[in-house]
Amino acid sequence: MIDFSLSTDIINARAMVHMVAETDMRPLSREYDEREHEKPMEWLTMMWNASKGLVSIGGDRKEARGERKAAEKQVRMAVIIEELSWGDAGLYLSIPNAGLGGAAVMAAGTQEQKERFLARFRDGAPKWGAMAITEPGCGSDSAAITTTAVRDSDQWVLNGTKIFCTSGLMAVEKSEGFVVVWATVDKTAGRAGIKAFIVDHHTPGMTVAKVENKMGIRASDTAMLVFEDCRIPIENILGSPEVQQSTEGFKGVMATFDATRPIVAASAIGIGRAAVDFLREVLQKEGVTIRYHVPPTKLTTVERDFMEMEANLQAARLLTWRASWMMDQGLQNSLEASMAKAKAGLAVTQVTQKAVELLGPLGYSRKNLVEKWMRDAKINDIFEGTQQINLLIIARRILGYSSKELS
Amino acid sequence: MVNFQPTEEQQLIRDTIAGFAQEIIRPAAHEADETGLIPSSLVQQAWELGITQSTIPEAWGGAGEIPSAFTGALICEELAWADLAIALHLLAPRLVIQPVLALGNDTQQQHVLPAYTEPTFTAGTAAVMEPRFGFDVNELATTATRRNEDILLNGAKCYTPLAAEARHLLVYARSESGVAAFLVPRDTPGLVIGEREKNMGMKALATYELTLNDCRLPASAQLNGALSPLLNRSRVALSALAVGVARAAFDYARDYAKERRAFGTAIAQKQAIAFMLADMAIEIDAARLLTWEAAWKIDAGQDTPLEAVSGATREACLAKNYAANMVLKVTDNAVQILGGHGYIRDHPVELWLRNGRGFATFEGLAMV
Ligand SMILES: Cc1cc2nc3c(=O)[nH]c(=O)nc-3n(C[C@H](O)[C@H](O)[C@H](O)COP(=O)(O)OP(=O)(O)OC[C@H]3O[C@@H](n4cnc5c(N)ncnc54)[C@H](O)[C@@H]3O)c2cc1C
Ligand SMILES: Cc1cc2nc3c(=O)[nH]c(=O)nc-3n(C[C@H](O)[C@H](O)[C@H](O)COP(=O)(O)OP(=O)(O)OC[C@H]3O[C@@H](n4cnc5c(N)ncnc54)[C@H](O)[C@@H]3O)c2cc1C
């Protein structure tokens, strides 16, 4: 039966996370926007201690199908991430956890790999996981990557350059984390030649060449990783041996996005809501009320804009919950995940830009956080598949086209 | 707990209506638009499905189902997918049934409801909109004033569906206590039903202007109680209808784009077209989910009739505005995707654009 209410369990979790967002994250927000490349280690350690066991976002369809308990895992995650990002999206992205790399291991790794790489996120010092796909020469077109993996007896040898790796620095140099690296074992094979490899922290031959300066989400490190004859054990190829022979490996990792795109959407929505909440408060203080029930011809521009912002945000949220709910039900959700991501990425970009506009000097000033939210929001329309790439995926699905037929 | 799946019973209702919409309504849509006539056999067949009368209590001869805004939204979407004008014709009796159910006293219910359980289609309607700029349902220009024991209605109404044949007419007017609804017999002196209107779209739907000139009613003609929950039901209905029209346009444009070739490929293989379609798909789902949420909120009883802005009003208004913008954009894209052919009346997309344009204007034209 249709139900748009959250379970008590999720409502309680949300309330708890909201407190963290409001009392712990917001006060750090401006500081770590300005002190780029520094981390609030005390808070991050606290988050690590609080969230251990929450090994990874993403997850495993089979697990969702099998376990009754997992029934609300993704919806719950979407709600929590929205709340954390309402606090601060850059800080949220910096929280020590297995991250995208962990999601890939969850989705496509063997039992042994899950144990070997994910167990460490349950205790000890804070750790980060990362995923490195993007290269200087290719981003959206991930099948065109040129980083190579060559087999040398019982090792893989990686060579190439990866850029824009979220938490790359933390994962490979500042903690006992790992990074999942996409490389080709056979350039002539195209997509089928691409495999994912798990590279452990501090592996010789892997260096952090650069940490980027960014428009927003500055608390999160975005690293360039260079691989020069970087040797890893043969069993660090992601997935089972059979999977390694086919394109299933690529598909398996791509399937990670079915889980992570709604999460990115949820994060976007958190930023957008922060801006809308701020705007609502300012309007209330100024005695401006939103008259939902009056006809469009009688609305002020501010009312009209505000309602449009609210509706777009809520539409994005419902699309996100639907994609997450489908995942929880063990349903194929690639289409819906891309819909949520495309809608949220664009909606939130527009919502935060509108908030800066409507708030005038209050919006543009760095005394308030609205301008920061606008800078933070934009990334959501770029990473985990740009707006255009998600439209492409949606279009292929609704038209029944292959990537050859529509590119 | 969040759930996006309608119940089995709701899915069954939707499938039934969808089948009827596809097999019976859609094939009749083009001719109905051209001639302005809806075949009475079609109307009768739809009547026999029972969608209009299902919520009438058993005591008055109906099936006594609880009027669910959500189920109503499912029905509206499917009917409008086939044709908006025919959908509004079939749904018109609800314009009087639902308010009488919600607000009518025993006498009023007994007076009105049994007519809608008869074996043949019975027209009923409501007059909400007024022919003026800045029409606002909260501040009607039509007035209801007390004259001794009686009430006098004065004003002008437009877009009143099926007024010429309606068994019951519900007229909304501004009274001392705010907006109220009045049951007006068609032969009341002072009530003049004008000529059938000519509109840009929905040409198959017979709508009328009304003039009310000292139209005298007994006090018992007034439905008592707050109207805002009913307005929200109407907003949900209109949103769902808009989603249906948009989905029709999307389906048609998608199929056309895969067939039509230009510059050596199907035009759907051009990103300019493919991205339009992807965007249409997102926006249709977005509007549907906003509509469902508003409907769910009404059904969950969170719609309290106490204040003007309360309960589901925010959700219903956001959904309605969103859907009205969405349907215009989507139907316009559909015409664009068909190029010159989209402009020609042999294809239905131009009709859907003409129909879609109305949603920003419509208020109180349908009820779930
Ligand atoms: C802060 C940040 C963090 C990131 N984190 C990670 C990470 O952890 N791991 C990782 O691997 N990557 C990460 N990325 C990289 C990110 O995923 C890419 O930037 C993104 O996929 C786009 O690739 P690109 O920048 O090379 O742009 P391009 O692929 O060069 O795209 C440029 C423009 O062309 C458009 N375009 C490309 N292809 C098409 C097409 N077929 N049709 C239509 N338009 C097209 C794009 O939409 C875009 O507008 C991160 C990036 C940033 C900025
Ligand atoms: C009222 C009317 C009067 C007209 N008068 C004349 C006239 O006097 N003389 C005459 O010769 N013609 C006339 N036309 C035809 C008109 O010029 C064509 O309809 C128009 O050029 C579009 O062609 P089409 O309809 O075949 O659409 P198509 O070419 O089939 O295009 C369909 C859709 O695909 C898009 N599309 C096509 N190719 C691409 C591409 N490469 N990339 C991206 N998108 C693409 C189009 O923009 C359109 O949205 C008239 C049409 C109408 C409706």
Side-chain angles (χ1 to χ4, degrees):
Chain A
M1 194 171 80
I2 291 292
D3 192 348
F4 291 92
S5 65
L6 298 168
S7 64
T8 320
D9 173 52
I10 295 184
I11 288 172
N12 291 341
R14 181 176 64 180
M16 225 170 65
V17 175
H18 185 79
M19 217 161 69
V20 172
E22 187 160 26
T23 55
D24 297 342
M25 296 175 84
R26 281 285 174 90
L28 298 173
S29 228
R30 179 57 71 186
E31 186 181 350
Y32 288 90
D33 179 52
E34 308 212 323
R35 286 166 64 190
E36 196 170 12
H37 308 304
E38 287 180 49
K39 302 256 184 211
M41 279 314 296
E42 199 182 318
W43 179 75
L44 292 176
T45 307
M46 186 200 79
M47 288 307 283
W48 166 260
N49 288 328
S51 67
K52 274 181 303 192
L54 253 180
V55 178
S56 162
I57 58 171
D60 191 328
R61 279 217 181 77
K62 275 173 252 136
E63 181 195 54
R65 233 184 266 127
E67 278 182 42
R68 223 48 215 110
K69 248 179 41 198
E72 282 196 296
K73 195 171 157 220
Q74 295 297 319
V75 173
R76 184 190 164 94
M77 191 64 77
V79 170
I80 288 175
I81 304 276
E82 176 180 332
E83 225 51 45
L84 288 169
S85 300
W86 179 91
D88 188 285
L91 292 173
Y92 143 67
L93 277 171
S94 312
I95 296 171
N97 61 38
L100 282 181
V105 173
M106 277 298 272
T110 63
Q111 205 45 51
E112 183 270 334
Q113 287 169 336
K114 287 182 193 171
E115 220 11 70
R116 190 150 54 96
F117 291 100
L118 299 182
R120 66 182 72 171
F121 287 89
R122 287 195 202 108
D123 45 49
K127 296 173 193 74
W128 285 262
M131 174 125 92
I133 308 170
T134 308
E135 298 182 357
C138 75
S140 301
D141 185 8
S142 52
I145 56 170
T146 59
T147 296
T148 53
V150 176
R151 188 159 175 176
D152 182 17
S153 69
D154 59 348
Q155 289 182 317
W156 292 102
V157 186
L158 302 183
N159 275 289
T161 301
K162 293 291 178 185
I163 58 170
F164 300 165
C165 180
T166 297
S167 298
L169 175 70
M170 304 312 282
V172 309
E173 279 190 2
K174 304 282 185 187
S175 77
E176 293 178 350
F178 69 88
V179 55
V180 171
V181 180
W182 289 30
T184 172
V185 293
D186 178 5
K187 273 189 193 165
T188 62
R191 206 172 290 266
I194 295 172
K195 309 289 170 200
F197 300 85
I198 315 170
V199 185
D200 228 325
H201 61 96
H202 296 103
T203 302
M206 169 172 64
T207 48
V208 174
K210 186 182 176 190
V211 181
E212 306 288 349
N213 300 319
K214 302 191 297 294
M215 172 163 116
I217 55 163
R218 293 182 183 162
S220 164
D221 61 294
T222 308
M224 173 194 262
L225 305 179
V226 175
F227 297 86
E228 286 168 309
D229 287 334
C230 175
R231 290 177 172 273
I232 58 169
I234 198 80
E235 60 273 15
N236 280 22
I237 188 167
L238 187 65
S240 63
E242 312 85 71
V243 160
Q244 294 159 24
Q245 302 307 313
S246 65
T247 59
E248 284 297 306
F250 187 81
K251 281 196 195 142
V253 182
M254 290 306 271
T256 316
F257 294 123
D258 299 345
T260 58
R261 286 196 171 125
I263 296 297
V264 174
S267 172
I269 293 158
I271 306 171
R273 201 186 93 215
V276 169
D277 285 353
F278 185 89
L279 178 58
R280 186 188 291 108
E281 270 170 40
V282 170
L283 292 178
Q284 261 163 11
K285 230 182 284 168
E286 297 297 327
V288 180
T289 49
I290 308 298
R291 298 165 301 160
Y292 291 96
H293 59 296
V294 316
T297 46
K298 288 194 175 170
L299 292 174
T300 63
T301 317
V302 174
E303 286 175 301
R304 195 186 260 257
D305 284 345
F306 189 82
M307 284 168 64
E308 203 175 305
M309 290 160 85
E310 277 193 301
N312 271 310
L313 207 57
Q314 184 62 7
R317 184 180 288 118
L318 294 177
L319 288 167
T320 301
W321 286 4
R322 178 179 68 169
S324 306
W325 172 83
M326 288 177 75
M327 183 101 188
D328 285 335
Q329 302 298 308
L331 301 168
Q332 166 64 42
N333 74 337
S334 305
L335 171 64
E336 291 77 8
S338 278
M339 281 183 160
K341 165 70 167 73
K343 178 69 187 177
L346 187 59
V348 164
T349 297
Q350 291 169 343
V351 161
T352 51
Q353 290 178 5
K354 199 62 173 181
V356 171
E357 180 198 319
L358 292 179
L359 285 159
L362 299 181
Y364 205 70
S365 167
R366 276 161 57 195
K367 270 193 198 146
N368 295 317
L369 288 168
V370 187
E371 63 82 26
K372 176 184 181 297
W373 293 328
M374 184 190 119
R375 289 184 285 112
D376 289 349
K378 183 63 201 170
I379 190 59
N380 295 293
D381 217 17
I382 299 172
F383 65 8
E384 294 279 305
T386 61
Q387 173 71 213
Q388 290 71 28
I389 293 306
N390 280 294
L391 288 181
L392 207 50
I393 292 168
I394 294 161
R396 282 181 196 144
R397 292 253 165 198
I398 59 181
L399 288 161
Y401 281 155
S402 66
S403 46
K404 259 209 201 79
E405 287 166 308
L406 183 63
S407 62
Chain B
M1 188 168 144
V2 174
N3 191 338
F4 288 83
Q5 179 131 38
T7 62
E8 267 175 40
E9 194 193 337
Q10 287 163 341
Q11 291 179 61
L12 191 71
I13 294 172
R14 177 172 62 185
D15 293 348
T16 307
I17 302 299
F20 182 77
Q22 193 167 358
E23 283 155 32
I24 310 292
I25 301 180
R26 178 62 76 81
H30 178 72
E31 205 183 316
D33 180 62
E34 294 289 328
T35 61
L37 294 172
I38 300 170
S40 53
S41 60
L42 182 157
V43 175
Q44 181 56 27
Q45 255 182 295
W47 183 254
E48 283 160 17
L49 284 178
I51 43 174
T52 322
Q53 56 276 55
S54 60
T55 52
I56 295 173
E58 284 167 15
W60 312 130
E65 285 163 25
I66 296 164
S68 155
F70 178 74
T71 310
L74 294 181
I75 293 170
C76 285
E77 180 179 335
E78 296 309 324
L79 291 176
W81 177 89
D83 186 71
L84 182 64
I86 297 177
L88 287 169
H89 183 111
L90 300 179
L91 294 168
R94 282 197 172 216
L95 292 171
V96 65
I97 296 174
Q98 299 300 81
V100 167
L101 265 177
L103 307 177
N105 60 32
D106 245 30
T107 319
Q108 289 163 332
Q109 294 199 348
Q110 184 164 26
H111 171 61
V112 171
L113 297 178
Y116 300 92
T117 62
E118 287 172 11
T120 50
F121 179 83
T122 308
T125 193
V128 181
M129 294 181 61
E130 297 172 347
R132 61 194 176 92
F133 174 77
F135 164 71
D136 182 349
V137 70
N138 313 290
E139 291 171 24
L140 296 174
T142 302
T143 54
T145 42
R146 284 254 166 200
R147 180 77 54 86
N148 304 326
E149 294 302 295
D150 293 341
I151 295 164
L152 292 184
L153 296 186
N154 276 292
K157 293 284 176 182
C158 62
Y159 292 108
T160 314
L162 315 190
E165 54 170 310
R167 187 87 67 94
H168 301 97
L169 236 154
L170 196 63
V171 175
Y172 289 76
R174 180 159 47 89
S175 71
E176 290 145 22
S177 55
V179 176
F182 302 86
L183 285 163
V184 183
R186 231 173 355 122
D187 52 7
T188 310
L191 167 67
V192 180
I193 297 172
E195 299 237 312
R196 183 170 165 174
E197 290 167 337
K198 297 191 168 100
N199 294 314
M200 176 169 82
M202 306 194 308
K203 282 152 73 177
L205 180 69
T207 64
Y208 300 86
E209 279 210 8
L210 307 183
T211 16
L212 300 143
N213 242 328
D214 278 344
C215 195
R216 188 182 291 269
L217 304 169
S220 61
Q222 180 171 352
L223 299 186
N224 286 304
L227 294 177
S228 77
L230 288 171
L231 292 175
N232 290 339
R233 284 181 168 270
S234 163
R235 289 171 180 130
V236 164
L238 288 169
S239 310
L241 290 164
V243 171
V245 173
R247 202 185 90 212
F250 167 76
D251 286 351
Y252 198 89
R254 177 200 55 209
D255 293 348
Y256 183 90
K258 287 188 75 173
E259 288 288 320
R260 179 70 170 176
R261 296 182 72 81
F263 304 97
T265 63
I267 57 168
Q269 287 175 275
K270 307 285 185 197
Q271 282 192 355
I273 300 293
F275 283 12
M276 254 198 262
L277 286 166
D279 186 56
M280 289 154 82
I282 295 172
E283 291 304 314
I284 291 169
D285 279 10
R288 182 188 295 114
L289 291 176
L290 289 173
T291 305
W292 282 11
E293 190 188 28
W296 163 80
K297 215 167 173 198
I298 290 172
D299 287 346
Q302 296 177 41
D303 195 14
T304 50
L306 294 176
E307 305 148 55
V309 181
S310 68
T313 298
R314 176 176 166 275
E315 284 76 8
C317 291
L318 289 181
K320 156 91 198 314
N321 290 345
Y322 195 94
N325 290 331
M326 178 281 296
V327 65
L328 190 59
K329 184 172 160 196
V330 168
T331 52
D332 182 67
N333 278 353
V335 171
Q336 188 63 29
I337 288 170
L338 266 74
H341 298 271
Y343 200 71
I344 306 298
R345 294 218 301 277
D346 291 348
H347 290 283
V349 284
E350 63 80 33
L351 165 61
W352 292 327
L353 173 56
R354 284 187 284 119
N355 286 345
R357 174 68 278 185
F359 280 98
T361 313
F362 301 157
E363 192 73 73
L365 213 58
M367 188 79 75
V368 290

